[in-house]
Amino acid sequence: MKFRFPVIIIDEDFRAENISGSGIRDLAEAIQKEGMEVVGLTSYGDLTAFAQQASRASCFIISVDDEEFESGESVDLSDEVLGSIRAFIGEVRKRNAEIPIFLYGETRTSRHLTNDILRELHGFIHMFEDTPEFVARHIIREAKVYLDSLAPPFFNALMNYASDSSYSWHCPGHSGGVAFLKSPVGQMFHQFFGENLLRADVCNAVDELGQLLDHTGPVHDSEMNAARIFGSDHLFFVTNGTSTSNKVVWHSTVAPGDIVVVDRNCHKSILHSIIMCGAVPVFLMPTRNHYGIIGPIPKSEFDPETIAKKIEANPFAREAKNKKPRVLTLTQSTYDGILYNVETIKEVLGDTVDTLHFDEAWLPHASFHPYYNHMHAIGGTEARPRPENTLIFATQSTHKLLAGLSQASQILVQDATNRKLDTHRFNESYLMHSSTSPQYAIIASCDVAAAMMEPPGGHALVEESLLEAIDFRRAMRKVGNEFGEDWWFKVWGPEKWAEEGLGDRDDWIIHEEDTWHGFGQIESGFNMLDPIKATIITPGLNIHGEFDDQGIPAAIVSKYLAEHGIIIEKTGLYSFFIMFTIGITKGRWNSMVTELQQFKDDFDQNLPMWRVMPDFAKKHPRYQRTGLRDLCQSLHDIYRKFNVAKITTEMYLSNIEPSMTPADAWAKMSHREVERVSIDELEGRTTAMLVTPYPPGIPLLIPGERFNKIIVDYLKFVREFNSRFPGFETDCHGLVRENVNGEDQYFVDVVND
């Protein structure tokens, strides 16, 4: 299989009509005759940008001409030339420790170079001493050795299999894409996805690829390789997303009747696990600000005495035979980027919890940069002590922050000093939740996503994300300063950070005296904001939950951006969220800044919706002649009328009464012992469903809990808002909308009284 990794030559004489130019072009021609592509350049340009080409090259050849030496008797290269070579090599090695680098000169030798440069070179080529053909073969040999080392075990085996052109009799039925070629629409599908993807779509009958379900062969080798890279004792690839990873961890640990301690700000997959395992949940309550941003759980909530009191206060937990929590699951990080100091949590808990599980769906990058020391579960750039008896699990979405395909996930495990994971028993739970027909392209992306983070590349990729995120904040602040008293968007986060570069990670640590976050008093050093998570605040609401006379709801901004080619991650009332993953570019975030400026201009002119958002206006003709500013004000007024900032804060912090265990409530629904009840009749009833508003996608209630007044009031707001502003509907899973006599009405399935 042929890949495009050209040899890159950097020589200011590459196109010159002189002896030096002729020599380097002869070499380039010889390399091309041997079957490798050559790209000839005359200068480095921007070193950092150029060094990024290391991901696209098979090797570099840097020319050093005699004209670049100092005049006179000195035989040494000039400081300027040495500095340029050193800077270039340094930038390349930040990202790639292995790519071959050659120097190409006329008369000078290695005695004219300093050791820090020499040790990074794969050779020093002298013009006219050997034939271009000989030198070309020497270079190509080194380049091929490098390219052959790139692919991690499973991806390498999959490529070899796909390129073998073997006839197969196993599923899938499209037989390497052949079936698609027999149909016009199939032809379109084949042309869109390509031969390689379809040939690599195989079943587990292919022995040479190993078995994901048994963790054998190249799959096993790749999981071991990833475990080494991420600093864990065990690592398992998962092809069904971190929702499945969470369920695997829980089913390997939790049995019916077990007490579990759970972050109330957890992903719904954890709540599904509670139901499936028949566990009795005790919740740790996070803070929340009036922007709707989920804050950290206070450190005091992790105190074993506090947890013991919560157990005794729960009518089902206090009846349990074993009061020791079977697992504690924490969302690390929160959707909005709040991190916990894991070492502090381990210290506080000691051995009072059997298993610690960190849902790190949004944090797989943290292991690779000292900015995140102690702020993630396993591995990293710092030494991590092991607990005496508590196993630690981390579940990570490699597709969210790294380069995995959608649904690519992994489970990391750290053994305790006195307790090791029994991988055979664990795999029984893994099999329970895994497909017997895993998608091999997803497995390969897990493999490659891990290999991409091999030092030093992983550190460079994460550092680049951090730098881009902080530069975006600087750009947004600069624009705001230029507008002066006029309105502009703000980026939520600390008020002070370095003027250039990364600065100190302490800039992002939350300190006791900080007020910018709106979560109340937070113990210093326990939490941190991940800089790559950026929440943009729109005008109209302050951190105290007070509405201004005028405002710009974020729902309109996000729809405006979507219509202008920018899709954001999450939208709140007066905030929206973007992430600076390793795939973010300067072009992308600069486009965000310019589009926000365009929104401001259109808003200030109150341009009609048919002009600024024509697609949206066509779908919803009632808004066509409405001005952008007028529409913003209409939504703002209803938010203010219902005091939605207060409702959406208090409903998550309100006292929730469990009337039955989640498993028992689900059993009622399975047996159809439920009824569909109107919103107006919900207060005091027990839900049989998860009730989950989007955003933020955090369940208000889980099966077995009773509706209180404030949650019912919120659902009434949803009903009125949705009827008045079609196109901006608030989505709430568990809330059933049915058309009754031509009118939309809302219901929830509750347990029969």
Side-chain angles (χ1 to χ4, degrees):
M1 192 169 295
K2 189 170 178 64
F3 296 98
R4 186 169 181 253
F5 285 91
V7 174
I8 295 182
I9 298 174
I10 309 160
D11 186 354
E12 65 180 9
D13 292 326
F14 191 82
R15 295 177 180 85
E17 295 300 324
N18 56 27
I19 191 67
S20 180
S22 174
I24 200 68
R25 287 195 299 274
D26 286 345
L27 177 59
E29 185 180 350
I31 294 171
Q32 289 173 321
K33 285 181 179 177
E34 292 292 330
M36 289 200 75
E37 183 182 356
V38 174
V39 174
L41 304 167
T42 57
S43 68
Y44 303 120
D46 178 72
L47 279 177
T48 302
F50 192 92
Q52 291 173 350
Q53 300 302 310
S55 63
R56 305 171 186 174
S58 60
C59 79
F60 290 103
I61 301 172
I62 307 169
S63 176
V64 182
D65 297 331
D66 283 355
E67 289 100 357
E68 295 174 317
F69 289 85
E70 290 183 345
S71 59
E73 298 299 318
S74 174
V75 297
D76 293 330
L77 286 166
S78 70
D79 290 340
E80 182 182 352
V81 172
L82 280 177
S84 295
I85 295 171
R86 186 179 290 112
F88 173 75
I89 291 174
E91 288 295 328
V92 169
R93 293 297 183 227
K94 279 182 186 177
R95 296 160 173 79
N96 191 319
E98 304 299 331
I99 187 169
I101 301 174
F102 294 89
L103 283 190
Y104 182 95
E106 296 178 16
T107 62
R108 299 313 191 230
T109 67
S110 58
R111 75 185 180 91
H112 304 122
L113 298 171
T114 54
N115 284 343
D116 62 328
I117 293 174
L118 284 172
R119 70 188 180 197
E120 301 294 345
L121 300 179
H122 284 65
F124 199 138
I125 303 161
H126 282 270
M127 193 178 296
F128 311 122
E129 284 193 349
D130 290 294
T131 64
E133 291 75 17
F134 175 85
V135 175
R137 289 193 295 271
H138 175 72
I139 292 167
I140 289 170
R141 184 183 69 244
E142 292 293 320
K144 284 183 174 178
V145 168
Y146 163 69
L147 293 176
D148 288 344
S149 72
L150 289 181
F154 179 79
F155 181 45
N156 189 57
L158 186 62
M159 286 192 296
N160 290 337
Y161 173 81
S163 63
D164 272 348
S165 301
S166 301
Y167 284 116
S168 67
W169 292 90
H170 54 70
C171 61
H174 63 71
S175 295
V178 175
F180 295 113
L181 302 177
K182 299 181 179 182
S183 159
V185 68
Q187 284 275 358
M188 293 176 71
F189 187 89
H190 192 285
Q191 291 175 34
F192 181 81
F193 282 106
E195 176 89 6
N196 285 340
L197 177 63
L198 299 172
R199 291 290 177 190
D201 184 24
V202 299
C203 86
N204 58 10
V206 183
D207 290 338
E208 61 260 45
L209 297 179
Q211 294 288 332
L212 178 68
L213 302 183
D214 297 327
H215 312 284
T216 59
V219 173
H220 168 268
D221 296 342
S222 283
E223 288 179 331
M224 293 292 291
N225 186 52
R228 175 186 60 80
I229 292 168
F230 281 86
S232 62
D233 296 316
H234 315 272
L235 188 146
F236 306 89
F237 293 152
V238 178
T239 60
N240 312 76
T242 299
S243 294
T244 293
S245 293
N246 289 339
K247 293 166 187 172
V248 170
V249 170
W250 269 63
H251 245 138
S252 72
T253 305
V254 180
D258 284 343
I259 293 172
V260 294
V261 181
V262 178
D263 181 353
R264 188 77 197 195
N265 170 38
C266 66
H267 189 264
K268 62 185 179 182
S269 61
I270 301 297
L271 302 175
H272 293 156
S273 298
I274 292 171
I275 295 168
M276 288 189 296
C277 295
V280 180
V282 173
F283 291 103
L284 305 177
M285 295 300 293
T287 52
R288 186 180 174 92
N289 68 21
H290 289 293
Y291 289 135
I293 298 171
I294 306 290
I297 297 165
K299 183 182 172 184
S300 58
E301 287 276 288
F302 294 92
D303 189 287
E305 290 185 10
T306 303
I307 293 172
K309 288 177 182 176
K310 287 176 179 283
I311 291 171
E312 291 305 314
N314 184 291
F316 306 103
R318 62 173 172 254
E319 300 299 324
K321 292 180 181 179
N322 182 5
K323 299 291 180 67
K324 182 177 182 178
R326 190 68 176 164
V327 68
L328 186 151
T329 291
L330 184 64
T331 307
Q332 172 83 325
S333 81
T334 69
Y335 208 118
D336 306 283
I338 297 296
L339 309 178
Y340 296 87
N341 189 316
V342 170
E343 297 308 315
T344 301
I345 290 172
K346 286 157 63 175
E347 233 175 79
V348 170
L349 290 171
D351 286 332
T352 60
V353 175
D354 182 82
T355 300
L356 278 176
H357 168 214
F358 295 89
D359 183 350
E360 293 188 337
W362 301 93
L363 202 65
H365 58 288
S367 298
F368 305 99
H369 202 283
Y371 240 56
Y372 300 99
N373 280 358
H374 293 176
M375 296 291 175
H376 60 98
I378 297 170
T381 62
E382 79 280 28
R384 308 294 296 274
R386 296 178 185 273
E388 290 284 319
N389 299 296
T390 303
L391 282 185
I392 296 179
F393 287 90
T395 48
Q396 298 178 342
S397 292
T398 47
H399 72 94
K400 283 188 169 74
L401 274 300
L402 302 184
L405 294 178
S406 290
Q407 298 190 38
S409 178
Q410 57 192 21
I411 301 169
L412 287 69
V413 190
Q414 183 186 53
D415 292 326
T417 303
N418 303 321
R419 180 183 160 203
K420 312 295 181 188
L421 178 74
D422 188 317
T423 56
H424 300 287
R425 293 175 185 171
F426 177 81
N427 204 55
E428 291 302 305
S429 177
Y430 185 97
L431 291 170
M432 189 183 295
H433 294 278
S434 298
S435 170
T436 53
S437 302
Q439 171 52 256
Y440 277 50
I442 298 176
I443 304 171
S445 81
C446 290
D447 191 21
V448 170
M452 288 175 63
M453 305 311 289
E454 180 83 62
H459 176 276
L461 288 168
V462 176
E463 182 153 307
E464 193 172 287
S465 295
L466 289 165
L467 283 167
E468 298 292 357
I470 298 172
D471 272 348
F472 168 75
R473 293 169 188 266
R474 293 185 182 110
M476 289 290 287
R477 181 173 289 183
K478 179 195 82 82
V479 172
N481 290 338
E482 289 182 8
F483 281 127
E485 297 298 316
D486 200 0
W487 74 270
W488 179 240
F489 303 95
K490 297 179 180 177
V491 185
W492 179 74
E495 294 168 0
K496 295 181 180 178
W497 12 266
E499 292 186 9
E500 295 294 336
L502 281 185
D504 196 309
R505 92 165 189 149
D506 192 62
D507 297 339
W508 305 94
I509 298 288
I510 298 178
H511 300 93
E512 193 171 337
E513 64 272 16
D514 291 337
T515 58
W516 57 264
H517 45 74
F519 301 135
Q521 198 170 63
I522 304 293
E523 185 168 324
S524 294
F526 188 54
N527 299 105
M528 170 183 172
L529 175 63
D530 189 347
I532 74 166
K533 314 284 178 62
T535 299
I536 298 169
I537 306 297
T538 65
L541 180 71
N542 64 27
I543 197 73
H544 307 294
E546 299 161 344
F547 287 92
D548 299 330
D549 291 338
Q550 295 182 318
I552 303 176
I556 298 178
V557 182
S558 65
K559 289 185 181 297
Y560 178 99
L561 291 172
E563 195 149 325
H564 291 73
I566 296 176
I567 310 300
I568 52 90
E569 181 68 30
K570 181 193 75 165
T571 305
L573 291 176
Y574 291 86
S575 68
F576 61 92
F577 173 77
I578 58 176
M579 287 190 302
F580 286 78
T581 70
I582 62 174
I584 291 295
T585 60
K586 286 182 174 60
R588 192 176 301 185
W589 67 255
N590 276 291
S591 295
M592 171 67 80
V593 176
T594 57
E595 284 299 335
L596 290 176
Q597 286 182 311
Q598 187 60 57
F599 177 93
K600 174 176 169 55
D601 191 46
D602 292 346
F603 175 92
D604 290 343
Q605 296 182 67
N606 199 26
L607 294 180
M609 293 292 288
W610 66 262
R611 183 171 171 183
V612 298
M613 295 169 61
D615 291 345
F616 180 80
K618 283 179 186 176
K619 291 179 185 175
H620 305 281
R622 67 165 61 189
Y623 303 122
Q624 282 195 356
R625 298 185 181 278
T626 306
L628 179 59
R629 185 174 63 226
D630 294 336
L631 182 58
C632 287
Q633 193 62 36
S634 298
L635 265 70
H636 179 72
D637 288 342
I638 194 171
Y639 286 162
R640 188 165 53 168
K641 171 188 170 183
F642 279 87
N643 201 2
V644 177
K646 181 181 179 183
I647 291 177
T648 53
T649 300
E650 292 182 351
M651 69 183 184
Y652 278 103
L653 303 178
S654 62
N655 185 45
I656 304 294
E657 179 189 349
S659 64
M660 55 185 18
T661 66
D664 287 344
W666 186 264
K668 292 286 186 182
M669 191 171 73
S670 299
H671 294 162
R672 299 188 296 280
E673 297 173 9
V674 296
E675 59 179 317
R676 189 157 289 172
V677 173
S678 168
I679 287 175
D680 301 297
E681 301 169 3
L682 277 178
E683 192 172 345
R685 300 298 299 272
T686 299
T687 182
M689 310 273 289
L690 286 170
V691 181
T692 312
Y694 285 82
I698 306 301
L700 278 171
L701 293 174
I702 67 172
E705 294 180 333
R706 294 188 188 276
F707 282 93
N708 59 29
K709 184 178 183 303
I710 192 165
I711 292 175
V712 173
D713 285 345
Y714 171 76
L715 297 180
K716 288 177 180 177
F717 156 75
V718 170
R719 179 174 61 191
E720 181 166 337
F721 182 83
N722 289 356
S723 68
R724 289 183 58 180
F725 296 100
F728 296 98
E729 292 93 343
T730 295
D731 186 22
C732 187
H733 287 187
L735 192 60
V736 179
R737 182 165 65 179
E738 294 182 345
N739 193 279
V740 181
N741 299 322
E743 182 181 334
D744 283 343
Q745 296 187 17
Y746 292 82
F747 307 86
V748 177
D749 288 342
V750 299
V751 175
N752 287 341
D753 286 337

